[in-house]
Amino acid sequence: MVDQESLFIAQVTKIIEKRESDMDWGFVLKTYGFDYLLERYTRLERSQYWQDEDYPWNIRHTLKDAYEDRQDDTLEMIHFILDNNLKIEDEDFIKYPWLKEFLERGGYTYYKPISGFKGNYLVIENVPHDFYRELIDLINKCYDYEIFSGVMVFSRKLLENLIIDILKNYHGSDIDKYYIQTQGRFHDFRTVLNNFEEIIDDLKPIEPSLDKKIIKEIGQYKDTANRKTHSLVVKVSENEIESHRSNLNHLVKLLIKIILEQRTHTKTSTRNTVGTPTIVQKQPVHKNKAKKRKTGDKQNLVSNLSSKKGFNIFINIIPSDTSKSYDLSMIEANNQISANLRPIYCGSWKNNYNFDGFLTYSGNTKEESDSYVQIFKNGVIEAVYTDNSSEIEYIDINWLEKLLINYIKLYSKALGDLGIPYPISILIIIKGVEGKKFITDSFRSILGKDIPIDRDILELPEVTINNFDDHITKYLKPVFDSLWNAGGYEKSNNYNENGEYMH
């Protein structure tokens, strides 16, 4: 018997991979709640950029895993990718008879629309995080280009993410109300909405106008989006979109107001019973620990790593003043900060407060974990990743460089959101690399110096970052030059002659 679902994914992969596009996999997967797959398939974006031979494999497995996790959301995502990111050609409709109906029953116009500015569909000034600003901008862009199906799909995703943030702020460490730990994903929209309905009465002190009516109003977006998916019809009229415009603006502003009020509350209180705040006592910093972390002593760090087997990455981020103690109480209630403190190369993780501060980790405990992040009360971050699953001979240095950049950006952003000031120092140690070789592509037969690394531990130069901006990579150039030196290269190949990062 033919596996129709696997055949569908395979054919979608063929349509995507055979043509170049500027599709942003990171944003698309994050928007639909599948950003954890970027951790699972780290080669997806890089293989797309270089048009490597494993790009189709990464597409297929990413879509397959997404489909197995949440079928409805995956179908919506595929709708968006095919409808808005790719130029569909006549031969595609001939080769894949289902495609025309999938895109739009009754015909599909395959040309890029020309913008004729229609004004913003959503007018929202304050947002809890930049992710929402990007999503609202995307909704407005879809509206401007008259891609009304995109307006509907992303409006649903906006409401869903806002409600998840409210649930996370309310329940704190009780993540089962919005997240399925065993599957490493959030609950579907229906479950999230039902759990939101359960806490409406407790949220009335924040927003007195809340009642059961709001559930019905939000539910219509869930029901509409689901009907579009199951019927394979993505045609949404302008009249239908306009009929939702005023109400959607009201709902989004209302949900954002609740989130912002919750976060204001969280800075000064936590809940011991529903709706009842209790003052958080600031814990004193433990000076011996602070002094130890403040110095960033390499000998001590290397000693801590010496007992670890396999390939190890260690990132230490140290604020300039570690004599202070910072309030970390908002981390668990703030979806974005806790996400930015995620363990290295980890698709799902656990977190909790501990004696030292706040900990995120894979596995059941920190001791059993192969990846963890500890932020101490003095603002120091310690991130450790261990891979001892197999003997590796080659390491893709471009992959390693990009991984370090991504996680340093995340952790630095978390410090900023917690009010921990710059400058900060970055210390990186790579262990377990003696005899291994750096390559500049996943196919070692094509590129690479083929020079073995002559030591087990690479203590990379410590650098200081004066402020967080989009050019954090300029501060890391000495780090990456030294890393490439270890593999026989003159310097990092990813910087131009002006010292600017090129990827």
Side-chain angles (χ1 to χ4, degrees):
M1 178 178 290
V2 177
D3 184 344
Q4 295 295 333
E5 293 176 352
S6 296
L7 180 62
F8 169 70
I9 295 296
Q11 291 181 348
V12 169
T13 300
K14 279 289 186 184
I15 295 172
I16 296 173
E17 59 94 2
K18 77 172 187 176
R19 50 177 56 80
E20 293 185 8
S21 76
D22 57 357
M23 184 175 66
D24 187 340
W25 276 108
F27 183 73
V28 170
L29 290 171
K30 183 176 181 180
T31 299
Y32 285 93
F34 294 115
D35 48 318
Y36 59 91
L37 293 178
L38 291 171
E39 302 281 353
R40 190 176 301 170
Y41 298 106
T42 56
R43 285 276 307 160
L44 174 63
E45 293 178 295
R46 177 166 172 74
S47 62
Q48 176 197 23
Y49 180 84
W50 292 106
Q51 288 297 296
D52 288 335
E53 295 178 11
D54 60 338
Y55 183 44
W57 185 93
N58 283 287
I59 298 173
R60 184 171 67 255
H61 284 270
T62 299
L63 295 179
K64 180 176 178 291
D65 285 8
Y67 192 87
E68 289 175 352
D69 288 349
R70 298 201 310 278
Q71 178 178 331
D72 289 353
D73 287 342
T74 304
L75 289 175
E76 289 181 15
M77 181 172 67
I78 291 173
H79 273 303
F80 177 76
I81 291 172
L82 297 181
D83 202 8
N84 300 303
N85 286 271
L86 305 176
K87 180 180 172 64
I88 305 299
E89 301 169 353
D90 288 333
E91 64 182 64
D92 294 310
F93 292 111
I94 296 172
K95 190 171 184 179
Y96 308 110
W98 53 266
L99 181 59
K100 184 174 183 179
E101 184 178 17
F102 184 78
L103 289 170
E104 182 179 338
R105 182 173 293 170
Y108 173 66
T109 306
Y110 41 99
Y111 58 82
K112 277 201 172 216
I114 299 175
S115 171
F117 186 69
K118 298 170 64 66
N120 288 331
Y121 184 71
L122 291 178
V123 182
I124 310 295
E125 295 182 0
N126 298 320
V127 293
H129 190 267
D130 289 345
F131 165 72
Y132 290 112
R133 175 58 58 206
E134 293 174 1
L135 189 50
I136 290 169
D137 288 346
L138 181 59
I139 292 169
N140 287 334
K141 185 176 289 187
C142 288
Y143 179 71
D144 187 29
Y145 281 101
E146 299 187 355
I147 307 172
F148 300 125
S149 60
V151 175
M152 179 64 71
V153 168
F154 288 119
S155 294
R156 166 192 161 154
K157 191 55 58 178
L158 175 61
L159 293 172
E160 185 175 2
N161 277 275
L162 288 170
I163 294 172
I164 287 173
D165 260 354
I166 291 172
L167 290 174
K168 184 160 190 176
N169 291 341
Y170 180 90
H171 290 289
S173 60
D174 184 15
I175 68 175
D176 293 335
K177 289 293 185 179
Y178 53 87
Y179 192 77
I180 306 174
Q181 298 186 62
T182 57
Q183 299 179 28
R185 66 176 180 85
F186 291 101
H187 282 297
D188 59 65
F189 196 7
R190 181 186 300 277
T191 303
V192 166
L193 193 56
N194 289 340
N195 291 339
F196 176 57
E197 184 176 9
E198 292 178 359
I199 65 172
I200 277 185
D201 289 340
D202 293 327
L203 296 174
K204 282 187 176 181
I206 294 177
E207 181 50 55
S209 66
L210 279 178
D211 55 28
K212 302 294 184 181
K213 182 182 177 183
I214 192 175
I215 301 299
K216 184 177 180 180
E217 292 175 350
I218 296 173
Q220 65 182 324
Y221 295 93
K222 168 183 67 66
D223 294 337
T224 301
N226 283 344
R227 287 197 301 271
K228 301 300 178 188
T229 300
H230 291 304
S231 64
L232 297 182
V233 179
V234 295
K235 179 70 174 178
V236 180
S237 69
E238 183 172 4
N239 288 339
E240 184 177 359
I241 289 298
E242 292 295 346
S243 69
H244 290 289
R245 185 174 186 170
S246 175
N247 191 49
L248 184 62
N249 272 272
H250 168 71
L251 290 174
V252 171
K253 290 177 181 177
L254 184 67
L255 295 175
I256 288 176
K257 177 184 177 183
I258 293 171
I259 292 172
L260 295 178
E261 288 289 338
Q262 284 178 312
R263 292 183 180 178
T264 301
H265 233 314
T266 304
K267 290 179 181 178
T268 56
S269 66
T270 56
R271 195 175 50 253
N272 55 358
T273 58
V274 174
T276 305
T278 180
I279 299 300
V280 175
Q281 298 298 322
K282 183 176 286 189
Q283 298 295 324
V285 66
H286 299 278
K287 294 185 178 179
N288 291 337
K289 178 80 73 173
K291 184 176 181 181
K292 177 180 174 181
R293 300 298 174 186
K294 178 181 177 181
T295 59
D297 179 63
K298 288 187 178 182
Q299 293 302 320
N300 181 60
L301 301 179
V302 172
S303 176
N304 289 341
L305 283 175
S306 62
S307 62
K308 290 184 173 292
K309 298 180 180 179
F311 173 70
N312 295 272
I313 299 171
F314 181 96
I315 299 174
N316 197 207
I317 302 181
I318 310 167
S320 58
D321 186 357
T322 56
S323 65
K324 295 182 178 179
S325 180
Y326 296 96
D327 182 8
L328 306 182
S329 63
M330 67 183 293
I331 295 178
E332 198 167 48
N334 187 307
N335 189 26
Q336 193 57 49
I337 295 179
S338 60
N340 286 345
L341 290 171
R342 71 188 69 174
I344 297 171
Y345 206 54
C346 183
S348 61
W349 62 91
K350 298 178 181 179
N351 60 66
N352 56 260
Y353 290 96
N354 62 6
F355 185 78
D356 292 315
F358 188 82
L359 175 71
T360 66
Y361 55 97
S362 63
N364 294 321
T365 65
K366 175 183 173 182
E367 289 69 28
E368 298 175 3
S369 173
D370 56 15
S371 187
Y372 74 84
V373 176
Q374 173 75 59
I375 178 169
F376 295 86
K377 294 170 186 176
N378 61 355
V380 171
I381 289 180
E382 176 183 285
V384 177
Y385 168 74
T386 302
D387 181 1
N388 53 18
S389 58
S390 61
E391 281 294 325
I392 56 174
E393 182 181 358
Y394 294 91
I395 300 171
D396 184 343
I397 193 169
N398 287 307
W399 166 83
L400 179 57
E401 190 176 272
K402 184 175 181 181
L403 179 142
L404 291 170
I405 290 170
N406 288 343
Y407 282 98
I408 289 171
K409 281 185 175 180
L410 288 174
Y411 301 153
S412 301
K413 183 67 167 58
L415 290 180
D417 289 341
L418 288 167
I420 299 173
Y422 284 77
I424 58 176
S425 297
I426 308 290
L427 176 62
I428 300 172
I429 296 176
I430 309 296
K431 178 185 173 292
V433 292
E434 185 174 8
K436 296 177 173 52
K437 301 169 185 177
F438 283 143
I439 54 172
T440 57
D441 195 273
S442 62
F443 304 104
R444 62 182 176 86
S445 60
I446 299 175
L447 297 170
K449 288 282 188 179
D450 207 39
I451 296 176
I453 299 170
D454 64 3
R455 64 200 64 194
D456 195 51
I457 296 175
L458 302 178
E459 303 173 19
L460 301 176
E462 185 171 342
V463 295
T464 299
I465 297 178
N466 295 318
N467 62 285
F468 182 84
D469 56 36
D470 293 334
H471 305 291
I472 199 170
T473 50
K474 69 183 179 183
Y475 299 105
L476 296 173
K477 186 177 186 302
V479 176
F480 296 140
D481 284 345
S482 293
L483 185 63
W484 285 68
N485 292 160
Y489 298 86
E490 177 187 0
K491 59 184 178 180
S492 170
N493 290 344
N494 293 319
Y495 289 83
N496 63 21
E497 59 185 11
N498 297 320
E500 299 168 333
Y501 196 72
M502 297 185 294
H503 294 296

